[in-house]
Amino acid sequence: MTTETAPSDPADPSGHCAARAALLAGPGPGGRPRRRALARLTDDWLTGLLAAAGAPPGVALVAVGGYGRGELSPRSDLDVLLLHDGPIARELPERIWYPVWDSGAKLDHAVRTVAEARAVAAADLKAQLGLLDARHLAGDRALTDALRSAVLTDWRASAPARLPELRELGRERAERHGELSFLLEPDLKEARGGLRDVVALDAIAATWLADAPRDGLDAAAQRLADVRDALHLATGRATDRLSLQDQDQVAERLGVLDADTLLRQVYEAARTVAYAGDVTWRAVDRVLAARGDRGRRVRRLGIPFGGAGRGTGAVARGAVERRPLAEGVVEQDGEAVLAQGARPAADPVLPLRAAAAAAQNGLTVSYATVRRLAAECRPLPVPWPDEAREQLVTLLGAGESAVPVWEALEAEGLVRRLLPDWERVRCRPQRNAVHRWTVDRHLVETAVRAAAMSRRVARPDLLLVAALLHDIGKGWPGDHSEAGEVIVRDLGARMGFGPEDTETLAVLVRHHLTLVDTATRRDPDDPATVEAITKVVTSVPELELLHALTEADALATGPAAWSGWRASLVDGLVARAADRLAGAGVPPVEAAPTAEQERLAVEAARTGQPALSLLARSEGAEPGAEPMGVELNLAVPDRPGLLGTAAGVLALHRLAVRSAGLRELDPAGAGPVLLLSWRVAAEYGELPEAARLRADLRRALDGSLDVARRLAERDAAAPRRRGIPTPPPLVAVAPAVASATATVLEVRAHDAPGLLHRIGRALDGAGVRVRTAHVSTLGAEAVDSFYLTDEAGRPLTAVRAGEVAAAVRAALG
């Protein structure tokens, strides 16, 4: 780009103003080239002003702050420091400042010695940040170099104290201005993810303690600056707020299709900046913590402590603790990272497993780990293996802790790889004052809200997935609910859900607005109002899912979308619909025992000893891969305490129960035999030897292995890290209509090692028989039903059932 020369009389601002106007109106390129040309034009003018003022030796004119970075937006302030090494005439600064004021430019100026500048910087963090970008304009260059050297030295020396203050400034700005990625009228500079955060990242890099991930960061910063330039030119004002009324003009100046496309580009850039900030601040925390630990160790030894130079945080750490979280995933320095033996190229489920483990433990996945997973992991097979679907549900079920993990996956493109339709809703604005989030973040926030409602439904996995996908149709033309229904049928099959579950997801997505619309717009006393709902959902469990999704959607939308009045209308409609649907559901028919199960039952009845079989499952894995789980069938002559004992042995072998069933058989009239059918998965990927598992089961059943004591000893030796807060367990006695021959106890709880063992022991201690059991682990949630009788085989009395429920509740804490 060709720059205009400075006018012959620098003190006359008209020449500079004309040259500046020509530059801004010219046909040349915009963006960074224009900002640099504008800075050079201003440099030449100010250089001429200093010369015309008759500056003596020992004086320098220095650009600081944004101007110091060598780029000027059309309405940027001029941040200038007149530096001197001794007394100067009072008239000298005025001969420079007055022409600038006369030009109409906004000037931020100061006159100081190097020592004074350092003193101001030490007292004022914002002044110190501005001086980090000091750039020589004119005069004594040695003076400018001395200032830069001193300021950088001071900044690096004071970084451990100053960086927490810098972080707090960012938090205060975020509280005042919000997150740039989600605002309809964002402040491009001050909001979280804006240009101020880019400056903060550069300041952190200048400390040599940590650096931001640079991929895409410069492009994101330049995009935000380009939009700011266009905003200045469109409005003629020095504004950083991209108001609704200005967005069309800004889009036109930038050659962007429309205002929505403009906002999406702004949001994408802001997310890149915000994510880089998150990664960088975590690195800063690790380095400062390591320096603090090292300092405490050195002081205890009586050795003088001093800085060890660039990058010493990592050197000073010594041995690094790594705690297992899941197969191929460990915790290190407060983040989830890959274990040394992890094989991303051979484990397509690893990204979801790492994400789920991190979220459930209140961690995030490290930047290097996410990058490696994105680079090395192959896409999941279609349909997904069971484990992938379970890990996605586990991730979503973590609630608030899932958000930063999801953001990390999204930043590296892993979400779009899992859900191709996600790209259409990513960063999509919602031009509705009720909505506080973009479409994609609203979907994640709805899943967060739904996670808190997991105890209200029998299928929390379907609730969480429906919450994540309910607005997926907003990326397509037409009614988003109708489009979403089509998309979710495809995604449900892709994720490996069966036809019935996929149909339920489709109903939930298609009708996620039906409950609130019907409740607020129809006469609640009109029978047709209830009929409108019972035509949509055909069972009480499905109605519960739609009710929870409706509430989660509204709560995630914003404060104006949900109120006590709306909640009462929806609750009333759901209650009337539930009454209409009561008894309409058909209880599931239990599958007949397989030939292998009958063989085991006959063997157990004949020998009086437990009989078991194990079948390793490699579902969805590559040929030759390690098995993903085990199907275990166990037949034992009827005896008390069987369920808790067997579950305890599995927990000892670090096998997580994914599903289980218990029922009675009487093979050939030889006497009752209890048959347990399990589907289990190894907690860390290594399955136990079948012979050892069989031996421990027999020892536990004959009393020579104290399972409870062994579990307690193991937990005491290696206590687990406290994970995320979860809703309390729900233990309830189902209505009598649930079974005519037994009392049904329903337990819904957050899954944990030994959970089924504790439930079984509590039931055994309560002196009841477990005639049948149906156990499911859906993501991180256990949904279990136990059919109980007294010793005579009769249903429990209401009082007795209440006592048993209380005993189980106490066992679960």
Side-chain angles (χ1 to χ4, degrees), residues 779-803:
E781 294 297 315
V783 181
D784 306 338
S785 298
F786 303 92
Y787 287 68
L788 310 177
T789 66
D790 60 17
E791 291 298 327
R794 296 169 303 201
L796 307 180
T797 65
V799 173
R800 186 84 177 92
E803 293 171 349

PDB file of all heavy atoms in Angstrom, residues 779-803:
ATOM      1  N   GLY A 779     -24.588 -44.363  30.832  1.00  0.00           N
ATOM      2  CA  GLY A 779     -23.589 -43.320  31.025  1.00  0.00           C
ATOM      3  C   GLY A 779     -23.016 -43.450  32.415  1.00  0.00           C
ATOM      4  O   GLY A 779     -22.454 -44.478  32.784  1.00  0.00           O
ATOM      5  N   ALA A 780     -23.182 -42.408  33.217  1.00  0.00           N
ATOM      6  CA  ALA A 780     -22.699 -42.444  34.598  1.00  0.00           C
ATOM      7  C   ALA A 780     -23.838 -42.619  35.588  1.00  0.00           C
ATOM      8  O   ALA A 780     -23.640 -42.448  36.792  1.00  0.00           O
ATOM      9  CB  ALA A 780     -21.943 -41.157  34.916  1.00  0.00           C
ATOM     10  N   GLU A 781     -25.032 -42.972  35.097  1.00  0.00           N
ATOM     11  CA  GLU A 781     -26.194 -43.089  35.965  1.00  0.00           C
ATOM     12  C   GLU A 781     -26.670 -44.536  36.049  1.00  0.00           C
ATOM     13  O   GLU A 781     -26.806 -45.217  35.022  1.00  0.00           O
ATOM     14  CB  GLU A 781     -27.342 -42.217  35.447  1.00  0.00           C
ATOM     15  CG  GLU A 781     -27.052 -40.728  35.495  1.00  0.00           C
ATOM     16  CD  GLU A 781     -26.836 -40.221  36.904  1.00  0.00           C
ATOM     17  OE1 GLU A 781     -27.621 -40.580  37.800  1.00  0.00           O
ATOM     18  OE2 GLU A 781     -25.856 -39.483  37.123  1.00  0.00           O
ATOM     19  N   ALA A 782     -26.892 -45.008  37.274  1.00  0.00           N
ATOM     20  CA  ALA A 782     -27.436 -46.341  37.500  1.00  0.00           C
ATOM     21  C   ALA A 782     -28.944 -46.244  37.665  1.00  0.00           C
ATOM     22  O   ALA A 782     -29.439 -45.419  38.446  1.00  0.00           O
ATOM     23  CB  ALA A 782     -26.807 -46.959  38.749  1.00  0.00           C
ATOM     24  N   VAL A 783     -29.672 -47.057  36.907  1.00  0.00           N
ATOM     25  CA  VAL A 783     -31.135 -47.105  36.981  1.00  0.00           C
ATOM     26  C   VAL A 783     -31.511 -48.562  37.229  1.00  0.00           C
ATOM     27  O   VAL A 783     -31.474 -49.379  36.313  1.00  0.00           O
ATOM     28  CB  VAL A 783     -31.786 -46.577  35.682  1.00  0.00           C
ATOM     29  CG1 VAL A 783     -33.300 -46.610  35.801  1.00  0.00           C
ATOM     30  CG2 VAL A 783     -31.302 -45.164  35.378  1.00  0.00           C
ATOM     31  N   ASP A 784     -31.847 -48.885  38.473  1.00  0.00           N
ATOM     32  CA  ASP A 784     -32.041 -50.274  38.878  1.00  0.00           C
ATOM     33  C   ASP A 784     -33.434 -50.496  39.434  1.00  0.00           C
ATOM     34  O   ASP A 784     -34.009 -49.609  40.085  1.00  0.00           O
ATOM     35  CB  ASP A 784     -31.014 -50.653  39.952  1.00  0.00           C
ATOM     36  CG  ASP A 784     -29.583 -50.379  39.523  1.00  0.00           C
ATOM     37  OD1 ASP A 784     -29.350 -50.301  38.308  1.00  0.00           O
ATOM     38  OD2 ASP A 784     -28.718 -50.227  40.408  1.00  0.00           O
ATOM     39  N   SER A 785     -33.947 -51.702  39.210  1.00  0.00           N
ATOM     40  CA  SER A 785     -35.238 -52.109  39.786  1.00  0.00           C
ATOM     41  C   SER A 785     -35.058 -53.475  40.429  1.00  0.00           C
ATOM     42  O   SER A 785     -34.502 -54.393  39.808  1.00  0.00           O
ATOM     43  CB  SER A 785     -36.327 -52.176  38.707  1.00  0.00           C
ATOM     44  OG  SER A 785     -36.540 -50.919  38.131  1.00  0.00           O
ATOM     45  N   PHE A 786     -35.559 -53.610  41.659  1.00  0.00           N
ATOM     46  CA  PHE A 786     -35.438 -54.856  42.406  1.00  0.00           C
ATOM     47  C   PHE A 786     -36.836 -55.319  42.814  1.00  0.00           C
ATOM     48  O   PHE A 786     -37.580 -54.557  43.460  1.00  0.00           O
ATOM     49  CB  PHE A 786     -34.556 -54.660  43.639  1.00  0.00           C
ATOM     50  CG  PHE A 786     -33.189 -54.140  43.319  1.00  0.00           C
ATOM     51  CD1 PHE A 786     -32.921 -52.775  43.307  1.00  0.00           C
ATOM     52  CD2 PHE A 786     -32.164 -55.012  43.001  1.00  0.00           C
ATOM     53  CE1 PHE A 786     -31.663 -52.289  42.998  1.00  0.00           C
ATOM     54  CE2 PHE A 786     -30.891 -54.528  42.697  1.00  0.00           C
ATOM     55  CZ  PHE A 786     -30.643 -53.169  42.684  1.00  0.00           C
ATOM     56  N   TYR A 787     -37.172 -56.549  42.446  1.00  0.00           N
ATOM     57  CA  TYR A 787     -38.481 -57.121  42.791  1.00  0.00           C
ATOM     58  C   TYR A 787     -38.291 -57.922  44.076  1.00  0.00           C
ATOM     59  O   TYR A 787     -37.603 -58.957  44.089  1.00  0.00           O
ATOM     60  CB  TYR A 787     -38.997 -57.993  41.663  1.00  0.00           C
ATOM     61  CG  TYR A 787     -39.471 -57.191  40.461  1.00  0.00           C
ATOM     62  CD1 TYR A 787     -38.569 -56.476  39.685  1.00  0.00           C
ATOM     63  CD2 TYR A 787     -40.826 -57.129  40.128  1.00  0.00           C
ATOM     64  CE1 TYR A 787     -38.996 -55.722  38.596  1.00  0.00           C
ATOM     65  CE2 TYR A 787     -41.266 -56.378  39.047  1.00  0.00           C
ATOM     66  CZ  TYR A 787     -40.343 -55.682  38.283  1.00  0.00           C
ATOM     67  OH  TYR A 787     -40.777 -54.939  37.207  1.00  0.00           O
ATOM     68  N   LEU A 788     -38.891 -57.450  45.168  1.00  0.00           N
ATOM     69  CA  LEU A 788     -38.627 -57.973  46.502  1.00  0.00           C
ATOM     70  C   LEU A 788     -39.840 -58.700  47.066  1.00  0.00           C
ATOM     71  O   LEU A 788     -40.997 -58.304  46.828  1.00  0.00           O
ATOM     72  CB  LEU A 788     -38.251 -56.821  47.446  1.00  0.00           C
ATOM     73  CG  LEU A 788     -37.154 -55.854  46.964  1.00  0.00           C
ATOM     74  CD1 LEU A 788     -36.970 -54.735  47.974  1.00  0.00           C
ATOM     75  CD2 LEU A 788     -35.851 -56.590  46.716  1.00  0.00           C
ATOM     76  N   THR A 789     -39.555 -59.738  47.847  1.00  0.00           N
ATOM     77  CA  THR A 789     -40.613 -60.419  48.601  1.00  0.00           C
ATOM     78  C   THR A 789     -40.095 -60.702  50.000  1.00  0.00           C
ATOM     79  O   THR A 789     -38.881 -60.592  50.276  1.00  0.00           O
ATOM     80  CB  THR A 789     -41.009 -61.759  47.942  1.00  0.00           C
ATOM     81  OG1 THR A 789     -39.899 -62.660  48.019  1.00  0.00           O
ATOM     82  CG2 THR A 789     -41.405 -61.559  46.486  1.00  0.00           C
ATOM     83  N   ASP A 790     -41.016 -61.086  50.890  1.00  0.00           N
ATOM     84  CA  ASP A 790     -40.579 -61.529  52.212  1.00  0.00           C
ATOM     85  C   ASP A 790     -40.158 -62.993  52.124  1.00  0.00           C
ATOM     86  O   ASP A 790     -40.148 -63.583  51.042  1.00  0.00           O
ATOM     87  CB  ASP A 790     -41.677 -61.290  53.255  1.00  0.00           C
ATOM     88  CG  ASP A 790     -42.968 -62.055  52.931  1.00  0.00           C
ATOM     89  OD1 ASP A 790     -42.914 -63.008  52.107  1.00  0.00           O
ATOM     90  OD2 ASP A 790     -44.014 -61.684  53.484  1.00  0.00           O
ATOM     91  N   GLU A 791     -39.801 -63.589  53.260  1.00  0.00           N
ATOM     92  CA  GLU A 791     -39.316 -64.966  53.242  1.00  0.00           C
ATOM     93  C   GLU A 791     -40.372 -65.942  52.746  1.00  0.00           C
ATOM     94  O   GLU A 791     -40.056 -67.020  52.231  1.00  0.00           O
ATOM     95  CB  GLU A 791     -38.838 -65.371  54.642  1.00  0.00           C
ATOM     96  CG  GLU A 791     -37.571 -64.653  55.095  1.00  0.00           C
ATOM     97  CD  GLU A 791     -36.398 -64.960  54.185  1.00  0.00           C
ATOM     98  OE1 GLU A 791     -36.330 -66.083  53.645  1.00  0.00           O
ATOM     99  OE2 GLU A 791     -35.538 -64.075  53.994  1.00  0.00           O
ATOM    100  N   ALA A 792     -41.641 -65.584  52.879  1.00  0.00           N
ATOM    101  CA  ALA A 792     -42.721 -66.459  52.429  1.00  0.00           C
ATOM    102  C   ALA A 792     -43.050 -66.238  50.958  1.00  0.00           C
ATOM    103  O   ALA A 792     -43.970 -66.880  50.436  1.00  0.00           O
ATOM    104  CB  ALA A 792     -43.970 -66.234  53.288  1.00  0.00           C
ATOM    105  N   GLY A 793     -42.332 -65.320  50.291  1.00  0.00           N
ATOM    106  CA  GLY A 793     -42.581 -65.092  48.868  1.00  0.00           C
ATOM    107  C   GLY A 793     -43.700 -64.117  48.583  1.00  0.00           C
ATOM    108  O   GLY A 793     -44.180 -64.041  47.435  1.00  0.00           O
ATOM    109  N   ARG A 794     -44.102 -63.325  49.583  1.00  0.00           N
ATOM    110  CA  ARG A 794     -45.192 -62.367  49.383  1.00  0.00           C
ATOM    111  C   ARG A 794     -44.644 -60.952  49.244  1.00  0.00           C
ATOM    112  O   ARG A 794     -43.560 -60.643  49.761  1.00  0.00           O
ATOM    113  CB  ARG A 794     -46.145 -62.421  50.578  1.00  0.00           C
ATOM    114  CG  ARG A 794     -46.850 -63.759  50.739  1.00  0.00           C
ATOM    115  CD  ARG A 794     -47.565 -63.815  52.075  1.00  0.00           C
ATOM    116  NE  ARG A 794     -46.628 -63.579  53.189  1.00  0.00           N
ATOM    117  CZ  ARG A 794     -46.850 -63.951  54.437  1.00  0.00           C
ATOM    118  NH1 ARG A 794     -47.968 -64.574  54.750  1.00  0.00           N
ATOM    119  NH2 ARG A 794     -45.967 -63.682  55.380  1.00  0.00           N
ATOM    120  N   PRO A 795     -45.415 -60.061  48.576  1.00  0.00           N
ATOM    121  CA  PRO A 795     -45.000 -58.647  48.508  1.00  0.00           C
ATOM    122  C   PRO A 795     -44.872 -58.067  49.913  1.00  0.00           C
ATOM    123  O   PRO A 795     -45.536 -58.523  50.863  1.00  0.00           O
ATOM    124  CB  PRO A 795     -46.125 -57.977  47.720  1.00  0.00           C
ATOM    125  CG  PRO A 795     -46.772 -59.077  46.952  1.00  0.00           C
ATOM    126  CD  PRO A 795     -46.664 -60.309  47.814  1.00  0.00           C
ATOM    127  N   LEU A 796     -44.039 -57.068  50.062  1.00  0.00           N
ATOM    128  CA  LEU A 796     -43.819 -56.448  51.362  1.00  0.00           C
ATOM    129  C   LEU A 796     -44.989 -55.539  51.713  1.00  0.00           C
ATOM    130  O   LEU A 796     -45.643 -54.959  50.835  1.00  0.00           O
ATOM    131  CB  LEU A 796     -42.525 -55.621  51.341  1.00  0.00           C
ATOM    132  CG  LEU A 796     -41.256 -56.325  50.865  1.00  0.00           C
ATOM    133  CD1 LEU A 796     -40.078 -55.349  50.927  1.00  0.00           C
ATOM    134  CD2 LEU A 796     -40.971 -57.562  51.704  1.00  0.00           C
ATOM    135  N   THR A 797     -45.223 -55.402  52.995  1.00  0.00           N
ATOM    136  CA  THR A 797     -46.208 -54.411  53.429  1.00  0.00           C
ATOM    137  C   THR A 797     -45.651 -53.011  53.166  1.00  0.00           C
ATOM    138  O   THR A 797     -44.446 -52.824  52.976  1.00  0.00           O
ATOM    139  CB  THR A 797     -46.513 -54.569  54.913  1.00  0.00           C
ATOM    140  OG1 THR A 797     -45.320 -54.259  55.662  1.00  0.00           O
ATOM    141  CG2 THR A 797     -46.969 -55.986  55.241  1.00  0.00           C
ATOM    142  N   ALA A 798     -46.534 -52.017  53.184  1.00  0.00           N
ATOM    143  CA  ALA A 798     -46.103 -50.648  52.917  1.00  0.00           C
ATOM    144  C   ALA A 798     -45.063 -50.198  53.939  1.00  0.00           C
ATOM    145  O   ALA A 798     -44.054 -49.551  53.592  1.00  0.00           O
ATOM    146  CB  ALA A 798     -47.300 -49.708  52.918  1.00  0.00           C
ATOM    147  N   VAL A 799     -45.274 -50.536  55.213  1.00  0.00           N
ATOM    148  CA  VAL A 799     -44.330 -50.141  56.257  1.00  0.00           C
ATOM    149  C   VAL A 799     -42.983 -50.828  56.050  1.00  0.00           C
ATOM    150  O   VAL A 799     -41.909 -50.209  56.124  1.00  0.00           O
ATOM    151  CB  VAL A 799     -44.906 -50.476  57.646  1.00  0.00           C
ATOM    152  CG1 VAL A 799     -43.851 -50.232  58.728  1.00  0.00           C
ATOM    153  CG2 VAL A 799     -46.147 -49.641  57.908  1.00  0.00           C
ATOM    154  N   ARG A 800     -43.055 -52.139  55.751  1.00  0.00           N
ATOM    155  CA  ARG A 800     -41.809 -52.887  55.554  1.00  0.00           C
ATOM    156  C   ARG A 800     -41.053 -52.357  54.328  1.00  0.00           C
ATOM    157  O   ARG A 800     -39.825 -52.221  54.345  1.00  0.00           O
ATOM    158  CB  ARG A 800     -42.151 -54.371  55.351  1.00  0.00           C
ATOM    159  CG  ARG A 800     -40.928 -55.260  55.288  1.00  0.00           C
ATOM    160  CD  ARG A 800     -40.474 -55.630  56.687  1.00  0.00           C
ATOM    161  NE  ARG A 800     -39.340 -56.534  56.604  1.00  0.00           N
ATOM    162  CZ  ARG A 800     -38.063 -56.151  56.596  1.00  0.00           C
ATOM    163  NH1 ARG A 800     -37.767 -54.864  56.684  1.00  0.00           N
ATOM    164  NH2 ARG A 800     -37.088 -57.038  56.533  1.00  0.00           N
ATOM    165  N   ALA A 801     -41.775 -52.066  53.265  1.00  0.00           N
ATOM    166  CA  ALA A 801     -41.138 -51.543  52.055  1.00  0.00           C
ATOM    167  C   ALA A 801     -40.444 -50.215  52.341  1.00  0.00           C
ATOM    168  O   ALA A 801     -39.336 -49.952  51.849  1.00  0.00           O
ATOM    169  CB  ALA A 801     -42.167 -51.382  50.941  1.00  0.00           C
ATOM    170  N   GLY A 802     -41.081 -49.384  53.154  1.00  0.00           N
ATOM    171  CA  GLY A 802     -40.474 -48.105  53.521  1.00  0.00           C
ATOM    172  C   GLY A 802     -39.199 -48.292  54.298  1.00  0.00           C
ATOM    173  O   GLY A 802     -38.213 -47.553  54.105  1.00  0.00           O
ATOM    174  N   GLU A 803     -39.186 -49.291  55.196  1.00  0.00           N
ATOM    175  CA  GLU A 803     -37.977 -49.564  55.973  1.00  0.00           C
ATOM    176  C   GLU A 803     -36.836 -50.051  55.081  1.00  0.00           C
ATOM    177  O   GLU A 803     -35.674 -49.657  55.260  1.00  0.00           O
ATOM    178  CB  GLU A 803     -38.290 -50.612  57.043  1.00  0.00           C
ATOM    179  CG  GLU A 803     -39.245 -50.118  58.120  1.00  0.00           C
ATOM    180  CD  GLU A 803     -39.708 -51.225  59.050  1.00  0.00           C
ATOM    181  OE1 GLU A 803     -39.447 -52.413  58.729  1.00  0.00           O
ATOM    182  OE2 GLU A 803     -40.309 -50.925  60.091  1.00  0.00           O
TER     183      GLU A 803
END
